[in-house]
Amino acid sequence: MALLQSITTKRLVLFTLLLLATLSAGEKMMEVPSDIRRQSSARTRQWARSELDGTLLVQMHISLAHSNIIEKADQYLFDVSDPGSDSYGRYWTAGDIVKAFASPASASYLVMQWLLGSGVPQDQIQLSNSRGYLLVHTTVARLQQLLSTTCHLQKKTSRPEHTEIVCQSLHIPSSLASFIEYVSISPRSLQPWDGTNNPSHSAVKRAPAAVPHSFSTRSIQDCHTYTSPPCLRELYNMPSAGGVPPHVNSSFGVYGQSYMTWLADDLDRFFGKYEPELVGQRPLVEPIDGGYLQTLYNNTVFNLESDLDFQYAMSLTRQNVTNIQVGDRYLTGDVNNMLAAFDKYYCDALDPAFDSIYPLDPPLPGSYDKTSDCGTVDPPKVISISFNWQEIDFSPEYLKRQCLEMLKLGLMGVTVVVSSGDTGPQSGTDGGTCILEDPLNPLSFTKNATAAGFNPGWPSSCPWVTSVGGTQRRMSTPPQGETSSHDTGVRRDTNVKKPWQENEESLRHVTPSFPNVTLTSGGGFSRHFPAPAYQRAALSSYKELEGAHLRNLAAAGHYTASAMAGRGYPDVSVLASAYLIYLHGQLTSVYGTSASAPVFASMIAMINSERLHAGKQTMGFVNPVLYAHPEMFNDITAGSNMGCGADPAFEAAKGWDPVTGMGTPDFEKLRKILVG
Ligand SMILES: *[C@@H]1O[C@H](CO)[C@@H](O)[C@H](O)[C@H]1NC(C)=O
Ligand SMILES: *[C@@H]1O[C@H](CO)[C@@H](O)[C@H](O)[C@H]1NC(C)=O
Ligand SMILES: *[C@@H]1O[C@H](CO)[C@@H](O)[C@H](O)[C@H]1NC(C)=O
Ligand SMILES: *[C@@H]1O[C@H](CO)[C@@H](O)[C@H](O)[C@H]1NC(C)=O
Ligand SMILES: *[C@@H]1O[C@H](CO)[C@@H](O)[C@H](O)[C@H]1NC(C)=O
């Protein structure tokens, strides 16, 4: 147990007086935000409740309010990311960030005094290194008394080892309200998820953006039908081989999760076909929290995403691509585990209700035997994440903290690119789910897969990442007279647009593997994050253009007026159809924005190389400059996404739209503005 921070006598007197004034005589209690997850009827059905033993040890995680820099953080990021600003490109160091984001000392002191005054022994309270969190190890009985609540245990019926403590609303003295951001509760020891016993569970809670695929053994014909590196180069005006020499400091990382692994044979087959000089090249593996390349199981779920990401990222950039591999063979790890490895102070924010905490207690054979990695890894300058969760799966506080961490990466000159999902405004696994707001309890949501409120995806809905949606060619078969140009290499002719280049529309595709799911570009509006300044003009223009349609969606209950003020996503889009990849030795065609994100990230990595060669900084957070220069994009105005019973849900339109964002990038134009 860490020692309490020492406090000067003078402060002690001052705060004791303050406390006496506020905590005396039956002080009023008020509800505090907490990580106790919303319960839906769907959820309750899958969980069995039981009584909680009052002597059970639990851990209470009190997040202290940050200094008011959070309100200003938005402006700081804009200052370093807006080309018009004097501070453009003047990125922060990790040290600058720690200093600026620390909690005021008074918060930890006051909260500690309340705990001590309520009878929690001092050695059961631990102040985190960053002074941002207090960890309290206590019993269920004391916790219930302290927070005026009652708790019980919930076990998932299908996975009894998966237990959660669920409490009614938590209360704190109202005088502490401005010092405590939220409280979360978790059992002291975690049950491991044994990924090797039943790998299919992986898809249940922490599933990737489903990358539905259609297996095809047909030989490739041409860019009208299939997508390959030469087609992407042609379509988006990217340089062919040897275009931009990679700069040694232009680092580029792709996020991967424990069991998900690329296969060397597949990479080499792909390189052999498209980039022969890359044969034998491998991603640089950066393991986090025991991350490793899993080889016990070769299947689509485990190998498709990684094979796709690295085949394209490495081919397009021809630079070193890092495989950020998170999680050991028991705990899958998640984006927060990655963020903690970048920022040692964020480690305190890992929340066992969602994130994986290492080491396992007790350890299992081959499990990661160290504590969760904290600040041990330098973030690559571009990070691509082809995974999607749903905003409602997390508490508002969790969303806010993770999103703030994305903002900090932007402050340090890192670009975070995420795929927007493949199921329109209906995020989640198995084709996605929707939300029904319960009028009796505005905080509770019911998942409803057929017709209900749109369900925004995560982390796309965080305003400090660049979210990438998906497009396809309007023509799926080659027009008369066009012959195959693919196998022989595509001739570059930038003056004459081929019909398929002028006919990009938003993704809409049904695969044999998911017959009841139409893949459409993930997009919509956050329910938590208001629209950031950089996109407000683009959003109002869309709402004006689409006013009548949006009012119809609202009238049908898909969309609320308040949601209209939320962060809109995606920001941009990239072809998401019929990517050829090698998977288990077979040439396969795959669909989804999982492909789009690494392609856009590759463009930023190439631009970073060029900027570094010119003695400039990396791009960092790119959204302000993207929205300021719509001329860098092919505006996609055809198509729509669908979901939650609405078809169309959102429609592609002139300018930005929540289907294809600003449109698809023209690399040459992007390069001129971003490098120049
Ligand atoms: C790529 O990584 C390898 C191995 O770390 C290193 O030797 C090489 O210099 C790197 N190349 C570039 C262009 O950064
Ligand atoms: C790469 O970055 C390191 C650390 O900032 C710096 O010392 C080095 O000079 C850079 N390399 C080049 C070629 O710019
Ligand atoms: C999985 O595929 C890789 C590469 O093709 C191979 O080396 C490995 O043995 C395979 N694993 C299993 C369990 O088949
Ligand atoms: C789903 O939503 C529809 C329309 O709002 C409603 O009629 C239906 O009962 C809901 N289904 C569930 C399982 O909640
Ligand atoms: C697809 O929908 C049809 C009709 O609603 C249903 O009968 C069928 O079982 C569904 N198939 C799958 C794979 O869910």
Side-chain angles (χ1 to χ4, degrees), residues 153-174:
L153 203 64
Q154 260 189 190
K155 281 188 211 286
K156 198 166 192 176
T157 38
S158 57
R159 277 171 69 193
E161 78 282 4
H162 191 126
T163 55
E164 280 186 357
I165 292 180
V166 179
C167 303
Q168 286 161 7
S169 46
L170 310 181
H171 301 84
I172 53 165
S174 43

Side-chain angles (χ1 to χ4, degrees), residues 1 52-62 114-115 118-126 134-147 151 165 183-189:
M1 225 48 65
L52 199 49
D53 176 356
T55 62
L56 186 79
L57 283 179
V58 287
Q59 182 172 287
M60 184 163 103
H61 195 127
I62 303 177
W114 164 58
L115 294 168
S118 311
V120 180
Q122 182 155 332
D123 66 358
Q124 291 180 4
I125 310 170
Q126 186 180 353
L134 282 168
L135 288 179
V136 183
H137 303 288
T138 188
T139 60
V140 168
R142 177 167 275 141
L143 178 134
Q144 295 187 137
Q145 192 184 24
L146 197 61
L147 300 174
C151 306
I165 292 180
V183 174
S184 81
I185 292 161
S186 54
R188 268 301 290 286
S189 73

